[in-house]
Amino acid sequence: MALPIYCNGPVIFFCYSKSTLKNKGGLIQLKKILMSIITATLLVFSFSGVSSAASTYQVKSGDSLWKIAKKYKITVSQLKSWNNLKSNTIRPKQVLKVKKTTAKKASSTKKAVHKTIKVKATAYTANCKGCSGITATGLNLKKNPTVKAIAVDPKVIPLGTKVHVEGYGQAVAADKGGAIKGNKIDVFIASKQKALNWGVKTVKVTVYK
C-alpha cells in the first residue's frame, strides 16, 4: 500500500508493509522518515523559489552574454544596458544583473521644477472684437474656453512650457504678446468680466522642465 504526501503539487509515495504498522518501533521510524522527506521537499521548493527570483548571475567559465541572455529569456542588449557593458566581453565571477530593477524613484511622480519667479499678471479674453482666439502655439481658445493658458515673454518662459500660476493654477505657456515683456504674463480667462476683475496682480510662477 502507498501513503501519498502532497507538497506543493508533487506526490511522494512511501511504501510500507502491514507488519510495520503493527510494530511500534517501526511506526516511530516511519514517522521520522516521513518528516525527513517532507522537510527535504520543502527545502527544495524554497531554494527553487529563491533562485527563480534572483536578479543577478555570477559569470562562470565558458559563459557568454548570448548564453546568459538565453538562459534568463532576455536579450543581449538588455544585459549590456542593465550592466553598463560597452562590449561583449565578460569575465568569470563577474556579477551581472539579469532582471531590470522595478523600484520606483520617489521623484519620478513629481514634476521637475526649473525655476520659480515673481511676475506681474494681467488677464485677457478671446471674446473681443477682432480677436481670433488662436494662440502663438495654435491653441484655439474660443473652442477651449476652460483651458488654462498664459501669454509670456518666450525669453523668460519658453512657449509650450508647463507652469503653475499662483491664484490661477496649472497652465501652459501658449501665447505671447507685444506688451508681454520680461517678468510679465497674461492669464487667459474666457469671461470678459472675470478677466477685468482679475486686474493686475504680483504672483509666483513655478516653471517646470
Side-chain angles (χ1 to χ4, degrees):
M1 185 178 178
L3 177 66
I5 304 169
Y6 296 92
C7 297
N8 288 340
V11 181
I12 302 172
F13 291 95
F14 181 82
C15 299
Y16 56 91
S17 62
K18 290 183 179 179
S19 60
T20 303
L21 290 174
K22 294 177 181 178
N23 188 306
K24 186 176 181 180
L27 280 175
I28 294 173
Q29 188 64 27
L30 175 62
K31 287 181 180 179
K32 287 182 179 179
I33 293 172
L34 290 177
M35 287 302 296
S36 297
I37 293 172
I38 292 170
T39 302
T41 304
L42 290 175
L43 283 173
V44 168
F45 278 97
S46 296
F47 281 120
S48 65
V50 170
S51 61
S52 64
S55 59
T56 59
Y57 172 78
Q58 189 175 63
V59 178
K60 299 175 183 177
S61 180
D63 276 339
S64 67
L65 289 181
W66 180 85
K67 190 175 180 181
I68 297 169
K70 185 179 179 182
K71 179 178 179 180
Y72 288 93
K73 296 180 180 179
I74 55 178
T75 66
V76 172
S77 296
Q78 286 176 318
L79 262 180
K80 293 176 75 172
S81 175
W82 298 341
N83 295 279
N84 297 317
L85 299 176
K86 302 298 181 183
S87 68
N88 293 333
T89 304
I90 52 176
R91 62 183 185 280
K93 294 187 179 181
Q94 182 178 355
V95 177
L96 298 176
K97 293 177 184 177
V98 292
K99 185 182 290 185
K100 189 176 182 180
T101 305
T102 56
K104 293 183 179 179
K105 293 182 180 179
S107 60
S108 63
T109 56
K110 297 180 181 179
K111 291 181 180 178
V113 176
H114 175 55
K115 61 182 177 180
T116 300
I117 57 176
K118 276 190 176 183
V119 302
K120 278 190 176 182
T122 51
Y124 74 107
T125 179
N127 297 319
C128 55
K129 190 175 181 180
C131 295
S132 68
I134 307 298
T135 70
T137 57
L139 179 62
N140 192 325
L141 298 177
K142 289 184 177 181
K143 289 185 177 180
N144 299 279
T146 59
V147 74
K148 294 279 189 176
I150 64 173
V152 300
D153 181 344
K155 291 180 181 179
V156 180
I157 303 175
L159 288 173
T161 304
K162 290 183 179 179
V163 299
H164 179 273
V165 181
E166 183 183 10
Y168 183 67
Q170 301 286 347
V172 61
D175 210 354
K176 60 182 180 178
I180 309 300
K181 300 293 181 184
N183 283 27
K184 187 177 180 182
I185 66 171
D186 229 355
V187 300
F188 167 68
I189 299 176
S191 167
K192 186 176 181 179
Q193 187 56 54
K194 287 182 179 180
L196 289 171
N197 292 342
W198 175 276
V200 181
K201 301 178 181 180
T202 299
V203 298
K204 285 183 181 179
V205 175
T206 301
V207 182
Y208 300 112
K209 289 183 180 179

PDB file of all heavy atoms in Angstrom, residues 37-63:
ATOM      1  N   ILE A  37      11.423  13.417   4.667  1.00  0.00           N
ATOM      2  CA  ILE A  37      11.021  13.598   3.260  1.00  0.00           C
ATOM      3  C   ILE A  37      10.303  14.936   3.086  1.00  0.00           C
ATOM      4  O   ILE A  37      10.570  15.690   2.152  1.00  0.00           O
ATOM      5  CB  ILE A  37      10.116  12.436   2.794  1.00  0.00           C
ATOM      6  CG1 ILE A  37      10.911  11.128   2.753  1.00  0.00           C
ATOM      7  CG2 ILE A  37       9.528  12.733   1.415  1.00  0.00           C
ATOM      8  CD1 ILE A  37      10.064   9.888   2.489  1.00  0.00           C
ATOM      9  N   ILE A  38       9.376  15.225   4.037  1.00  0.00           N
ATOM     10  CA  ILE A  38       8.621  16.487   3.954  1.00  0.00           C
ATOM     11  C   ILE A  38       9.560  17.681   4.065  1.00  0.00           C
ATOM     12  O   ILE A  38       9.472  18.634   3.296  1.00  0.00           O
ATOM     13  CB  ILE A  38       7.543  16.545   5.070  1.00  0.00           C
ATOM     14  CG1 ILE A  38       6.461  15.491   4.812  1.00  0.00           C
ATOM     15  CG2 ILE A  38       6.917  17.943   5.134  1.00  0.00           C
ATOM     16  CD1 ILE A  38       5.498  15.319   5.967  1.00  0.00           C
ATOM     17  N   THR A  39      10.476  17.630   5.056  1.00  0.00           N
ATOM     18  CA  THR A  39      11.425  18.735   5.257  1.00  0.00           C
ATOM     19  C   THR A  39      12.301  18.948   4.034  1.00  0.00           C
ATOM     20  O   THR A  39      12.495  20.079   3.577  1.00  0.00           O
ATOM     21  CB  THR A  39      12.324  18.445   6.476  1.00  0.00           C
ATOM     22  OG1 THR A  39      11.498  18.256   7.630  1.00  0.00           O
ATOM     23  CG2 THR A  39      13.278  19.617   6.733  1.00  0.00           C
ATOM     24  N   ALA A  40      12.817  17.839   3.485  1.00  0.00           N
ATOM     25  CA  ALA A  40      13.686  17.933   2.303  1.00  0.00           C
ATOM     26  C   ALA A  40      12.935  18.527   1.119  1.00  0.00           C
ATOM     27  O   ALA A  40      13.462  19.350   0.374  1.00  0.00           O
ATOM     28  CB  ALA A  40      14.224  16.548   1.952  1.00  0.00           C
ATOM     29  N   THR A  41      11.665  18.084   0.967  1.00  0.00           N
ATOM     30  CA  THR A  41      10.851  18.580  -0.156  1.00  0.00           C
ATOM     31  C   THR A  41      10.599  20.073  -0.043  1.00  0.00           C
ATOM     32  O   THR A  41      10.720  20.819  -1.010  1.00  0.00           O
ATOM     33  CB  THR A  41       9.502  17.838  -0.211  1.00  0.00           C
ATOM     34  OG1 THR A  41       9.751  16.435  -0.288  1.00  0.00           O
ATOM     35  CG2 THR A  41       8.693  18.272  -1.435  1.00  0.00           C
ATOM     36  N   LEU A  42      10.267  20.515   1.180  1.00  0.00           N
ATOM     37  CA  LEU A  42      10.017  21.944   1.400  1.00  0.00           C
ATOM     38  C   LEU A  42      11.261  22.773   1.148  1.00  0.00           C
ATOM     39  O   LEU A  42      11.197  23.869   0.590  1.00  0.00           O
ATOM     40  CB  LEU A  42       9.512  22.178   2.832  1.00  0.00           C
ATOM     41  CG  LEU A  42       8.096  21.655   3.138  1.00  0.00           C
ATOM     42  CD1 LEU A  42       7.774  21.832   4.619  1.00  0.00           C
ATOM     43  CD2 LEU A  42       7.065  22.398   2.288  1.00  0.00           C
ATOM     44  N   LEU A  43      12.411  22.248   1.553  1.00  0.00           N
ATOM     45  CA  LEU A  43      13.674  22.958   1.328  1.00  0.00           C
ATOM     46  C   LEU A  43      13.969  23.103  -0.154  1.00  0.00           C
ATOM     47  O   LEU A  43      14.421  24.155  -0.621  1.00  0.00           O
ATOM     48  CB  LEU A  43      14.831  22.215   2.021  1.00  0.00           C
ATOM     49  CG  LEU A  43      14.932  22.405   3.539  1.00  0.00           C
ATOM     50  CD1 LEU A  43      15.999  21.491   4.111  1.00  0.00           C
ATOM     51  CD2 LEU A  43      15.250  23.859   3.875  1.00  0.00           C
ATOM     52  N   VAL A  44      13.703  22.030  -0.903  1.00  0.00           N
ATOM     53  CA  VAL A  44      13.939  22.064  -2.357  1.00  0.00           C
ATOM     54  C   VAL A  44      13.104  23.145  -3.000  1.00  0.00           C
ATOM     55  O   VAL A  44      13.584  23.926  -3.816  1.00  0.00           O
ATOM     56  CB  VAL A  44      13.607  20.688  -2.992  1.00  0.00           C
ATOM     57  CG1 VAL A  44      13.555  20.812  -4.517  1.00  0.00           C
ATOM     58  CG2 VAL A  44      14.660  19.666  -2.584  1.00  0.00           C
ATOM     59  N   PHE A  45      11.821  23.205  -2.612  1.00  0.00           N
ATOM     60  CA  PHE A  45      10.931  24.213  -3.203  1.00  0.00           C
ATOM     61  C   PHE A  45      11.308  25.613  -2.756  1.00  0.00           C
ATOM     62  O   PHE A  45      11.164  26.569  -3.505  1.00  0.00           O
ATOM     63  CB  PHE A  45       9.468  23.914  -2.861  1.00  0.00           C
ATOM     64  CG  PHE A  45       8.869  22.884  -3.762  1.00  0.00           C
ATOM     65  CD1 PHE A  45       8.809  21.552  -3.377  1.00  0.00           C
ATOM     66  CD2 PHE A  45       8.389  23.230  -5.016  1.00  0.00           C
ATOM     67  CE1 PHE A  45       8.273  20.590  -4.205  1.00  0.00           C
ATOM     68  CE2 PHE A  45       7.844  22.277  -5.862  1.00  0.00           C
ATOM     69  CZ  PHE A  45       7.779  20.951  -5.458  1.00  0.00           C
ATOM     70  N   SER A  46      11.791  25.737  -1.514  1.00  0.00           N
ATOM     71  CA  SER A  46      12.198  27.060  -1.027  1.00  0.00           C
ATOM     72  C   SER A  46      13.372  27.574  -1.823  1.00  0.00           C
ATOM     73  O   SER A  46      13.403  28.726  -2.261  1.00  0.00           O
ATOM     74  CB  SER A  46      12.584  26.977   0.454  1.00  0.00           C
ATOM     75  OG  SER A  46      11.456  26.622   1.224  1.00  0.00           O
ATOM     76  N   PHE A  47      14.371  26.728  -2.035  1.00  0.00           N
ATOM     77  CA  PHE A  47      15.560  27.144  -2.783  1.00  0.00           C
ATOM     78  C   PHE A  47      15.239  27.423  -4.240  1.00  0.00           C
ATOM     79  O   PHE A  47      15.793  28.318  -4.851  1.00  0.00           O
ATOM     80  CB  PHE A  47      16.651  26.078  -2.684  1.00  0.00           C
ATOM     81  CG  PHE A  47      17.395  26.133  -1.365  1.00  0.00           C
ATOM     82  CD1 PHE A  47      17.398  25.050  -0.515  1.00  0.00           C
ATOM     83  CD2 PHE A  47      18.063  27.300  -0.993  1.00  0.00           C
ATOM     84  CE1 PHE A  47      18.067  25.117   0.704  1.00  0.00           C
ATOM     85  CE2 PHE A  47      18.744  27.362   0.223  1.00  0.00           C
ATOM     86  CZ  PHE A  47      18.745  26.266   1.083  1.00  0.00           C
ATOM     87  N   SER A  48      14.325  26.635  -4.809  1.00  0.00           N
ATOM     88  CA  SER A  48      13.968  26.864  -6.207  1.00  0.00           C
ATOM     89  C   SER A  48      13.268  28.198  -6.357  1.00  0.00           C
ATOM     90  O   SER A  48      13.426  28.895  -7.349  1.00  0.00           O
ATOM     91  CB  SER A  48      13.062  25.739  -6.726  1.00  0.00           C
ATOM     92  OG  SER A  48      11.824  25.756  -6.042  1.00  0.00           O
ATOM     93  N   GLY A  49      12.492  28.594  -5.324  1.00  0.00           N
ATOM     94  CA  GLY A  49      11.811  29.880  -5.368  1.00  0.00           C
ATOM     95  C   GLY A  49      12.793  31.022  -5.294  1.00  0.00           C
ATOM     96  O   GLY A  49      12.650  32.031  -5.964  1.00  0.00           O
ATOM     97  N   VAL A  50      13.835  30.853  -4.469  1.00  0.00           N
ATOM     98  CA  VAL A  50      14.840  31.900  -4.328  1.00  0.00           C
ATOM     99  C   VAL A  50      15.604  32.083  -5.617  1.00  0.00           C
ATOM    100  O   VAL A  50      15.828  33.189  -6.080  1.00  0.00           O
ATOM    101  CB  VAL A  50      15.815  31.545  -3.176  1.00  0.00           C
ATOM    102  CG1 VAL A  50      16.992  32.499  -3.175  1.00  0.00           C
ATOM    103  CG2 VAL A  50      15.085  31.592  -1.836  1.00  0.00           C
ATOM    104  N   SER A  51      16.004  30.971  -6.247  1.00  0.00           N
ATOM    105  CA  SER A  51      16.800  31.070  -7.465  1.00  0.00           C
ATOM    106  C   SER A  51      16.018  31.674  -8.615  1.00  0.00           C
ATOM    107  O   SER A  51      16.559  32.382  -9.443  1.00  0.00           O
ATOM    108  CB  SER A  51      17.333  29.679  -7.870  1.00  0.00           C
ATOM    109  OG  SER A  51      16.248  28.807  -8.132  1.00  0.00           O
ATOM    110  N   SER A  52      14.689  31.360  -8.651  1.00  0.00           N
ATOM    111  CA  SER A  52      13.880  31.888  -9.736  1.00  0.00           C
ATOM    112  C   SER A  52      13.685  33.389  -9.606  1.00  0.00           C
ATOM    113  O   SER A  52      13.429  34.080 -10.577  1.00  0.00           O
ATOM    114  CB  SER A  52      12.521  31.185  -9.766  1.00  0.00           C
ATOM    115  OG  SER A  52      11.797  31.476  -8.581  1.00  0.00           O
ATOM    116  N   ALA A  53      13.772  33.874  -8.327  1.00  0.00           N
ATOM    117  CA  ALA A  53      13.571  35.297  -8.112  1.00  0.00           C
ATOM    118  C   ALA A  53      14.888  36.076  -8.158  1.00  0.00           C
ATOM    119  O   ALA A  53      14.901  37.272  -7.966  1.00  0.00           O
ATOM    120  CB  ALA A  53      12.888  35.511  -6.762  1.00  0.00           C
ATOM    121  N   ALA A  54      16.004  35.354  -8.359  1.00  0.00           N
ATOM    122  CA  ALA A  54      17.308  36.010  -8.366  1.00  0.00           C
ATOM    123  C   ALA A  54      17.379  37.057  -9.461  1.00  0.00           C
ATOM    124  O   ALA A  54      16.899  36.863 -10.560  1.00  0.00           O
ATOM    125  CB  ALA A  54      18.403  34.966  -8.565  1.00  0.00           C
ATOM    126  N   SER A  55      17.979  38.192  -9.118  1.00  0.00           N
ATOM    127  CA  SER A  55      18.091  39.277 -10.091  1.00  0.00           C
ATOM    128  C   SER A  55      19.525  39.443 -10.588  1.00  0.00           C
ATOM    129  O   SER A  55      19.793  40.305 -11.417  1.00  0.00           O
ATOM    130  CB  SER A  55      17.595  40.585  -9.470  1.00  0.00           C
ATOM    131  OG  SER A  55      18.355  40.900  -8.319  1.00  0.00           O
ATOM    132  N   THR A  56      20.448  38.613 -10.068  1.00  0.00           N
ATOM    133  CA  THR A  56      21.845  38.670 -10.514  1.00  0.00           C
ATOM    134  C   THR A  56      22.363  37.278 -10.876  1.00  0.00           C
ATOM    135  O   THR A  56      21.790  36.272 -10.460  1.00  0.00           O
ATOM    136  CB  THR A  56      22.752  39.267  -9.416  1.00  0.00           C
ATOM    137  OG1 THR A  56      22.646  38.456  -8.227  1.00  0.00           O
ATOM    138  CG2 THR A  56      22.352  40.702  -9.097  1.00  0.00           C
ATOM    139  N   TYR A  57      23.427  37.256 -11.624  1.00  0.00           N
ATOM    140  CA  TYR A  57      24.032  35.983 -12.035  1.00  0.00           C
ATOM    141  C   TYR A  57      25.548  36.147 -12.024  1.00  0.00           C
ATOM    142  O   TYR A  57      26.082  37.155 -12.511  1.00  0.00           O
ATOM    143  CB  TYR A  57      23.570  35.604 -13.437  1.00  0.00           C
ATOM    144  CG  TYR A  57      24.281  34.402 -14.016  1.00  0.00           C
ATOM    145  CD1 TYR A  57      23.936  33.109 -13.629  1.00  0.00           C
ATOM    146  CD2 TYR A  57      25.311  34.561 -14.945  1.00  0.00           C
ATOM    147  CE1 TYR A  57      24.585  32.001 -14.143  1.00  0.00           C
ATOM    148  CE2 TYR A  57      25.973  33.454 -15.470  1.00  0.00           C
ATOM    149  CZ  TYR A  57      25.611  32.173 -15.069  1.00  0.00           C
ATOM    150  OH  TYR A  57      26.263  31.087 -15.590  1.00  0.00           O
ATOM    151  N   GLN A  58      26.257  35.158 -11.440  1.00  0.00           N
ATOM    152  CA  GLN A  58      27.717  35.190 -11.418  1.00  0.00           C
ATOM    153  C   GLN A  58      28.263  34.425 -12.625  1.00  0.00           C
ATOM    154  O   GLN A  58      27.944  33.261 -12.837  1.00  0.00           O
ATOM    155  CB  GLN A  58      28.259  34.578 -10.125  1.00  0.00           C
ATOM    156  CG  GLN A  58      29.772  34.785  -9.962  1.00  0.00           C
ATOM    157  CD  GLN A  58      30.268  34.287  -8.611  1.00  0.00           C
ATOM    158  OE1 GLN A  58      30.168  33.090  -8.322  1.00  0.00           O
ATOM    159  NE2 GLN A  58      30.792  35.184  -7.796  1.00  0.00           N
ATOM    160  N   VAL A  59      29.034  35.123 -13.410  1.00  0.00           N
ATOM    161  CA  VAL A  59      29.570  34.550 -14.647  1.00  0.00           C
ATOM    162  C   VAL A  59      30.490  33.365 -14.337  1.00  0.00           C
ATOM    163  O   VAL A  59      31.334  33.428 -13.441  1.00  0.00           O
ATOM    164  CB  VAL A  59      30.350  35.621 -15.444  1.00  0.00           C
ATOM    165  CG1 VAL A  59      30.961  35.007 -16.706  1.00  0.00           C
ATOM    166  CG2 VAL A  59      29.425  36.776 -15.805  1.00  0.00           C
ATOM    167  N   LYS A  60      30.314  32.279 -15.117  1.00  0.00           N
ATOM    168  CA  LYS A  60      31.163  31.091 -14.986  1.00  0.00           C
ATOM    169  C   LYS A  60      32.048  30.967 -16.223  1.00  0.00           C
ATOM    170  O   LYS A  60      31.771  31.557 -17.266  1.00  0.00           O
ATOM    171  CB  LYS A  60      30.301  29.834 -14.832  1.00  0.00           C
ATOM    172  CG  LYS A  60      29.420  29.855 -13.598  1.00  0.00           C
ATOM    173  CD  LYS A  60      28.497  28.645 -13.575  1.00  0.00           C
ATOM    174  CE  LYS A  60      27.550  28.696 -12.376  1.00  0.00           C
ATOM    175  NZ  LYS A  60      26.592  27.559 -12.383  1.00  0.00           N
ATOM    176  N   SER A  61      33.085  30.187 -16.093  1.00  0.00           N
ATOM    177  CA  SER A  61      33.993  29.969 -17.219  1.00  0.00           C
ATOM    178  C   SER A  61      33.229  29.348 -18.391  1.00  0.00           C
ATOM    179  O   SER A  61      32.475  28.389 -18.216  1.00  0.00           O
ATOM    180  CB  SER A  61      35.129  29.029 -16.792  1.00  0.00           C
ATOM    181  OG  SER A  61      36.010  28.806 -17.861  1.00  0.00           O
ATOM    182  N   GLY A  62      33.380  29.911 -19.577  1.00  0.00           N
ATOM    183  CA  GLY A  62      32.698  29.395 -20.759  1.00  0.00           C
ATOM    184  C   GLY A  62      31.398  30.116 -21.059  1.00  0.00           C
ATOM    185  O   GLY A  62      30.768  29.871 -22.086  1.00  0.00           O
ATOM    186  N   ASP A  63      30.973  31.012 -20.151  1.00  0.00           N
ATOM    187  CA  ASP A  63      29.742  31.771 -20.367  1.00  0.00           C
ATOM    188  C   ASP A  63      29.936  32.856 -21.422  1.00  0.00           C
ATOM    189  O   ASP A  63      31.052  33.326 -21.661  1.00  0.00           O
ATOM    190  CB  ASP A  63      29.286  32.441 -19.064  1.00  0.00           C
ATOM    191  CG  ASP A  63      28.466  31.515 -18.183  1.00  0.00           C
ATOM    192  OD1 ASP A  63      27.921  30.536 -18.713  1.00  0.00           O
ATOM    193  OD2 ASP A  63      28.369  31.784 -16.978  1.00  0.00           O
TER     194      ASP A  63
END
